[in-house]
mmCIF file of all heavy atoms in Angstrom:
data_model
loop_
_atom_site.group_PDB
_atom_site.id
_atom_site.type_symbol
_atom_site.label_atom_id
_atom_site.label_comp_id
_atom_site.label_asym_id
_atom_site.label_seq_id
_atom_site.Cartn_x
_atom_site.Cartn_y
_atom_site.Cartn_z
ATOM 1 N N LEU U 357 -2.538 -6.870 -6.969
ATOM 2 C CA LEU U 357 -3.514 -6.650 -8.036
ATOM 3 C C LEU U 357 -3.052 -7.240 -9.371
ATOM 4 O O LEU U 357 -3.778 -7.157 -10.369
ATOM 5 C CB LEU U 357 -3.804 -5.154 -8.193
ATOM 6 C CG LEU U 357 -4.598 -4.548 -7.027
ATOM 7 C CD1 LEU U 357 -4.676 -3.038 -7.204
ATOM 8 C CD2 LEU U 357 -5.936 -5.133 -6.857
ATOM 9 N N GLY U 358 -1.774 -7.809 -9.401
ATOM 10 C CA GLY U 358 -1.336 -8.439 -10.592
ATOM 11 C C GLY U 358 -0.727 -7.395 -11.621
ATOM 12 O O GLY U 358 -0.642 -7.751 -12.813
ATOM 13 N N TYR U 359 -0.355 -6.180 -11.184
ATOM 14 C CA TYR U 359 0.153 -5.190 -12.170
ATOM 15 C C TYR U 359 1.626 -5.177 -12.353
ATOM 16 O O TYR U 359 2.099 -4.689 -13.383
ATOM 17 C CB TYR U 359 -0.296 -3.782 -11.702
ATOM 18 C CG TYR U 359 -1.797 -3.589 -11.724
ATOM 19 C CD1 TYR U 359 -2.419 -2.850 -10.739
ATOM 20 C CD2 TYR U 359 -2.631 -4.145 -12.709
ATOM 21 C CE1 TYR U 359 -3.819 -2.617 -10.694
ATOM 22 C CE2 TYR U 359 -3.997 -4.007 -12.712
ATOM 23 C CZ TYR U 359 -4.587 -3.188 -11.754
ATOM 24 O OH TYR U 359 -5.858 -3.021 -11.757
ATOM 25 N N ALA U 360 2.379 -5.712 -11.357
ATOM 26 C CA ALA U 360 3.824 -5.638 -11.487
ATOM 27 C C ALA U 360 4.454 -6.684 -10.521
ATOM 28 O O ALA U 360 3.903 -7.055 -9.475
ATOM 29 C CB ALA U 360 4.338 -4.196 -11.146
ATOM 30 N N VAL U 361 5.700 -7.063 -10.963
ATOM 31 C CA VAL U 361 6.551 -7.935 -10.074
ATOM 32 C C VAL U 361 7.082 -7.047 -8.970
ATOM 33 O O VAL U 361 7.374 -5.840 -9.164
ATOM 34 C CB VAL U 361 7.613 -8.569 -10.847
ATOM 35 C CG1 VAL U 361 8.620 -9.281 -9.949
ATOM 36 C CG2 VAL U 361 7.106 -9.496 -11.943
ATOM 37 N N TYR U 362 7.276 -7.621 -7.757
ATOM 38 C CA TYR U 362 7.589 -6.764 -6.609
ATOM 39 C C TYR U 362 8.886 -5.972 -6.802
ATOM 40 O O TYR U 362 8.925 -4.762 -6.477
ATOM 41 C CB TYR U 362 7.646 -7.605 -5.377
ATOM 42 C CG TYR U 362 7.933 -6.801 -4.071
ATOM 43 C CD1 TYR U 362 6.935 -6.003 -3.508
ATOM 44 C CD2 TYR U 362 9.211 -6.772 -3.484
ATOM 45 C CE1 TYR U 362 7.173 -5.252 -2.379
ATOM 46 C CE2 TYR U 362 9.432 -6.047 -2.310
ATOM 47 C CZ TYR U 362 8.431 -5.256 -1.774
ATOM 48 O OH TYR U 362 8.644 -4.510 -0.693
ATOM 49 N N ARG U 363 9.925 -6.591 -7.275
ATOM 50 C CA ARG U 363 11.222 -5.860 -7.425
ATOM 51 C C ARG U 363 11.114 -4.743 -8.446
ATOM 52 O O ARG U 363 11.900 -3.769 -8.392
ATOM 53 C CB ARG U 363 12.302 -6.879 -7.763
ATOM 54 C CG ARG U 363 12.689 -7.737 -6.617
ATOM 55 C CD ARG U 363 14.047 -8.399 -6.806
ATOM 56 N NE ARG U 363 14.338 -9.196 -5.596
ATOM 57 C CZ ARG U 363 15.032 -8.700 -4.553
ATOM 58 N NH1 ARG U 363 15.392 -7.471 -4.595
ATOM 59 N NH2 ARG U 363 15.297 -9.458 -3.520
ATOM 60 N N GLU U 364 10.183 -4.816 -9.354
ATOM 61 C CA GLU U 364 9.961 -3.682 -10.262
ATOM 62 C C GLU U 364 9.081 -2.653 -9.596
ATOM 63 O O GLU U 364 9.361 -1.459 -9.717
ATOM 64 C CB GLU U 364 9.265 -4.287 -11.507
ATOM 65 C CG GLU U 364 8.995 -3.228 -12.584
ATOM 66 C CD GLU U 364 8.248 -3.823 -13.785
ATOM 67 O OE1 GLU U 364 7.585 -4.852 -13.637
ATOM 68 O OE2 GLU U 364 8.428 -3.226 -14.918
ATOM 69 N N ALA U 365 8.053 -3.122 -8.813
ATOM 70 C CA ALA U 365 7.136 -2.154 -8.219
ATOM 71 C C ALA U 365 7.830 -1.268 -7.196
ATOM 72 O O ALA U 365 7.459 -0.095 -7.058
ATOM 73 C CB ALA U 365 5.962 -2.937 -7.580
ATOM 74 N N VAL U 366 8.774 -1.771 -6.447
ATOM 75 C CA VAL U 366 9.408 -0.998 -5.370
ATOM 76 C C VAL U 366 10.247 0.061 -5.983
ATOM 77 O O VAL U 366 10.667 1.031 -5.218
ATOM 78 C CB VAL U 366 10.294 -1.896 -4.436
ATOM 79 C CG1 VAL U 366 9.378 -2.828 -3.648
ATOM 80 C CG2 VAL U 366 11.308 -2.700 -5.198
ATOM 81 N N GLY U 367 10.563 -0.010 -7.208
ATOM 82 C CA GLY U 367 11.364 0.997 -7.888
ATOM 83 C C GLY U 367 10.567 2.143 -8.494
ATOM 84 O O GLY U 367 11.126 3.138 -8.931
ATOM 85 N N ASN U 368 9.284 2.019 -8.459
ATOM 86 C CA ASN U 368 8.383 3.059 -9.013
ATOM 87 C C ASN U 368 8.259 4.232 -8.064
ATOM 88 O O ASN U 368 8.474 4.118 -6.849
ATOM 89 C CB ASN U 368 7.065 2.480 -9.309
ATOM 90 C CG ASN U 368 7.025 1.430 -10.361
ATOM 91 O OD1 ASN U 368 7.926 1.370 -11.216
ATOM 92 N ND2 ASN U 368 6.053 0.524 -10.384
ATOM 93 N N ARG U 369 7.938 5.341 -8.649
ATOM 94 C CA ARG U 369 7.766 6.585 -7.846
ATOM 95 C C ARG U 369 6.655 6.421 -6.854
ATOM 96 O O ARG U 369 5.547 5.984 -7.188
ATOM 97 C CB ARG U 369 7.524 7.773 -8.753
ATOM 98 C CG ARG U 369 7.393 9.133 -8.071
ATOM 99 C CD ARG U 369 7.256 10.252 -9.048
ATOM 100 N NE ARG U 369 7.087 11.516 -8.377
ATOM 101 C CZ ARG U 369 5.965 12.019 -8.020
ATOM 102 N NH1 ARG U 369 4.845 11.349 -8.193
ATOM 103 N NH2 ARG U 369 5.836 13.211 -7.381
ATOM 104 N N GLY U 370 6.884 6.740 -5.646
ATOM 105 C CA GLY U 370 5.846 6.640 -4.577
ATOM 106 C C GLY U 370 5.599 5.273 -4.134
ATOM 107 O O GLY U 370 4.566 5.043 -3.467
ATOM 108 N N ALA U 371 6.455 4.287 -4.431
ATOM 109 C CA ALA U 371 6.196 2.905 -4.098
ATOM 110 C C ALA U 371 6.066 2.695 -2.653
ATOM 111 O O ALA U 371 5.309 1.808 -2.169
ATOM 112 C CB ALA U 371 7.401 2.026 -4.621
ATOM 113 N N GLY U 372 6.744 3.524 -1.791
ATOM 114 C CA GLY U 372 6.671 3.310 -0.351
ATOM 115 C C GLY U 372 5.518 4.053 0.332
ATOM 116 O O GLY U 372 5.386 4.041 1.551
ATOM 117 N N SER U 373 4.736 4.749 -0.483
ATOM 118 C CA SER U 373 3.570 5.446 0.062
ATOM 119 C C SER U 373 2.572 4.517 0.677
ATOM 120 O O SER U 373 2.249 3.481 0.061
ATOM 121 C CB SER U 373 2.847 6.244 -1.028
ATOM 122 O OG SER U 373 3.711 7.195 -1.637
ATOM 123 N N LEU U 374 2.187 4.760 1.931
ATOM 124 C CA LEU U 374 1.240 3.890 2.609
ATOM 125 C C LEU U 374 -0.158 4.055 2.184
ATOM 126 O O LEU U 374 -0.571 5.094 1.785
ATOM 127 C CB LEU U 374 1.397 4.142 4.170
ATOM 128 C CG LEU U 374 2.742 3.993 4.814
ATOM 129 C CD1 LEU U 374 2.633 4.249 6.276
ATOM 130 C CD2 LEU U 374 3.280 2.620 4.547
ATOM 131 N N ILE U 375 -0.897 2.943 2.238
ATOM 132 C CA ILE U 375 -2.310 2.993 1.889
ATOM 133 C C ILE U 375 -3.195 2.990 3.156
ATOM 134 O O ILE U 375 -4.411 3.202 3.049
ATOM 135 C CB ILE U 375 -2.727 1.864 0.953
ATOM 136 C CG1 ILE U 375 -2.422 0.499 1.574
ATOM 137 C CG2 ILE U 375 -2.031 1.929 -0.374
ATOM 138 C CD1 ILE U 375 -2.927 -0.673 0.805
ATOM 139 N N GLN U 376 -2.582 2.795 4.296
ATOM 140 C CA GLN U 376 -3.299 2.902 5.543
ATOM 141 C C GLN U 376 -2.387 3.042 6.766
ATOM 142 O O GLN U 376 -1.248 2.611 6.702
ATOM 143 C CB GLN U 376 -4.293 1.826 5.767
ATOM 144 C CG GLN U 376 -3.686 0.428 5.957
ATOM 145 C CD GLN U 376 -4.730 -0.586 6.370
ATOM 146 O OE1 GLN U 376 -5.891 -0.261 6.581
ATOM 147 N NE2 GLN U 376 -4.288 -1.873 6.488
ATOM 148 N N ALA U 377 -2.848 3.765 7.718
ATOM 149 C CA ALA U 377 -2.176 3.874 9.032
ATOM 150 C C ALA U 377 -3.214 4.293 10.074
ATOM 151 O O ALA U 377 -4.301 4.653 9.769
ATOM 152 C CB ALA U 377 -1.046 4.906 8.978
ATOM 153 N N LEU U 378 -2.881 4.070 11.324
ATOM 154 C CA LEU U 378 -3.780 4.329 12.417
ATOM 155 C C LEU U 378 -3.992 5.909 12.487
ATOM 156 O O LEU U 378 -3.083 6.687 12.425
ATOM 157 C CB LEU U 378 -3.284 3.915 13.741
ATOM 158 C CG LEU U 378 -3.138 2.425 13.926
ATOM 159 C CD1 LEU U 378 -2.752 2.135 15.412
ATOM 160 C CD2 LEU U 378 -4.331 1.641 13.583
ATOM 161 N N GLY U 379 -5.286 6.347 12.613
ATOM 162 C CA GLY U 379 -5.601 7.709 12.859
ATOM 163 C C GLY U 379 -6.015 8.533 11.647
ATOM 164 O O GLY U 379 -6.457 9.685 11.793
ATOM 165 N N MET U 380 -5.907 7.942 10.495
ATOM 166 C CA MET U 380 -6.186 8.739 9.255
ATOM 167 C C MET U 380 -7.691 8.893 9.021
ATOM 168 O O MET U 380 -8.164 9.903 8.503
ATOM 169 C CB MET U 380 -5.605 8.029 8.021
ATOM 170 C CG MET U 380 -4.106 7.987 8.022
ATOM 171 S SD MET U 380 -3.344 9.633 8.038
ATOM 172 C CE MET U 380 -2.846 9.837 9.779
ATOM 173 N N SER U 381 -8.472 7.970 9.511
ATOM 174 C CA SER U 381 -9.928 8.075 9.383
ATOM 175 C C SER U 381 -10.536 7.092 10.385
ATOM 176 O O SER U 381 -9.824 6.456 11.142
ATOM 177 C CB SER U 381 -10.370 7.756 7.960
ATOM 178 O OG SER U 381 -10.012 6.448 7.577
ATOM 179 N N GLY U 382 -11.882 7.002 10.384
ATOM 180 C CA GLY U 382 -12.581 6.055 11.322
ATOM 181 C C GLY U 382 -12.176 4.588 11.123
ATOM 182 O O GLY U 382 -11.736 4.256 10.097
ATOM 183 N N SER U 383 -12.413 3.813 12.155
ATOM 184 C CA SER U 383 -11.993 2.413 12.076
ATOM 185 C C SER U 383 -12.853 1.587 11.088
ATOM 186 O O SER U 383 -12.470 0.504 10.703
ATOM 187 C CB SER U 383 -12.148 1.797 13.489
ATOM 188 O OG SER U 383 -13.433 1.851 13.971
ATOM 189 N N SER U 384 -13.977 2.099 10.660
ATOM 190 C CA SER U 384 -14.766 1.390 9.671
ATOM 191 C C SER U 384 -14.006 1.208 8.290
ATOM 192 O O SER U 384 -14.287 0.337 7.548
ATOM 193 C CB SER U 384 -16.111 2.071 9.407
ATOM 194 O OG SER U 384 -15.855 3.431 8.873
ATOM 195 N N SER U 385 -13.029 2.096 8.045
ATOM 196 C CA SER U 385 -12.252 2.025 6.841
ATOM 197 C C SER U 385 -10.830 1.508 7.083
ATOM 198 O O SER U 385 -9.985 1.546 6.232
ATOM 199 C CB SER U 385 -12.213 3.397 6.161
ATOM 200 O OG SER U 385 -11.687 4.364 7.052
ATOM 201 N N LEU U 386 -10.580 0.966 8.311
ATOM 202 C CA LEU U 386 -9.294 0.458 8.664
ATOM 203 C C LEU U 386 -9.315 -1.064 8.530
ATOM 204 O O LEU U 386 -10.260 -1.686 8.993
ATOM 205 C CB LEU U 386 -8.918 0.852 10.073
ATOM 206 C CG LEU U 386 -7.523 0.444 10.532
ATOM 207 C CD1 LEU U 386 -6.437 1.322 9.831
ATOM 208 C CD2 LEU U 386 -7.348 0.540 12.011
ATOM 209 N N HIS U 387 -8.181 -1.681 7.961
ATOM 210 C CA HIS U 387 -8.195 -3.106 7.782
ATOM 211 C C HIS U 387 -6.846 -3.640 8.280
ATOM 212 O O HIS U 387 -5.920 -3.842 7.516
ATOM 213 C CB HIS U 387 -8.359 -3.479 6.315
ATOM 214 C CG HIS U 387 -9.626 -2.942 5.707
ATOM 215 N ND1 HIS U 387 -10.809 -3.518 5.966
ATOM 216 C CD2 HIS U 387 -9.855 -1.870 4.902
ATOM 217 C CE1 HIS U 387 -11.789 -2.824 5.274
ATOM 218 N NE2 HIS U 387 -11.148 -1.854 4.622
ATOM 219 N N PRO U 388 -6.715 -3.818 9.585
ATOM 220 C CA PRO U 388 -5.467 -4.437 10.111
ATOM 221 C C PRO U 388 -5.352 -5.853 9.716
ATOM 222 O O PRO U 388 -6.364 -6.516 9.411
ATOM 223 C CB PRO U 388 -5.601 -4.318 11.680
ATOM 224 C CG PRO U 388 -7.119 -4.303 11.884
ATOM 225 C CD PRO U 388 -7.672 -3.544 10.670
ATOM 226 N N THR U 389 -4.087 -6.283 9.583
ATOM 227 C CA THR U 389 -3.851 -7.682 9.187
ATOM 228 C C THR U 389 -3.383 -8.463 10.453
ATOM 229 O O THR U 389 -2.419 -8.098 11.115
ATOM 230 C CB THR U 389 -2.735 -7.767 8.097
ATOM 231 O OG1 THR U 389 -3.160 -7.025 7.001
ATOM 232 C CG2 THR U 389 -2.460 -9.274 7.748
#
């Protein structure tokens, strides 16, 4: 999104929190890469 450089972003609180995983909701809101 253009908010931070990666090495800075990974040091922020909650940086490793996932934004998606299998099973959290229906597949209509899932975006596999």
Side-chain angles (χ1 to χ4, degrees):
L357 291 174
Y359 295 142
V361 174
Y362 184 72
R363 289 197 175 272
E364 181 181 25
V366 294
N368 294 336
R369 183 176 178 272
S373 299
L374 300 182
I375 60 176
Q376 65 171 355
L378 297 187
M380 295 298 102
S381 58
S383 59
S384 60
S385 56
L386 184 74
H387 304 284
T389 301

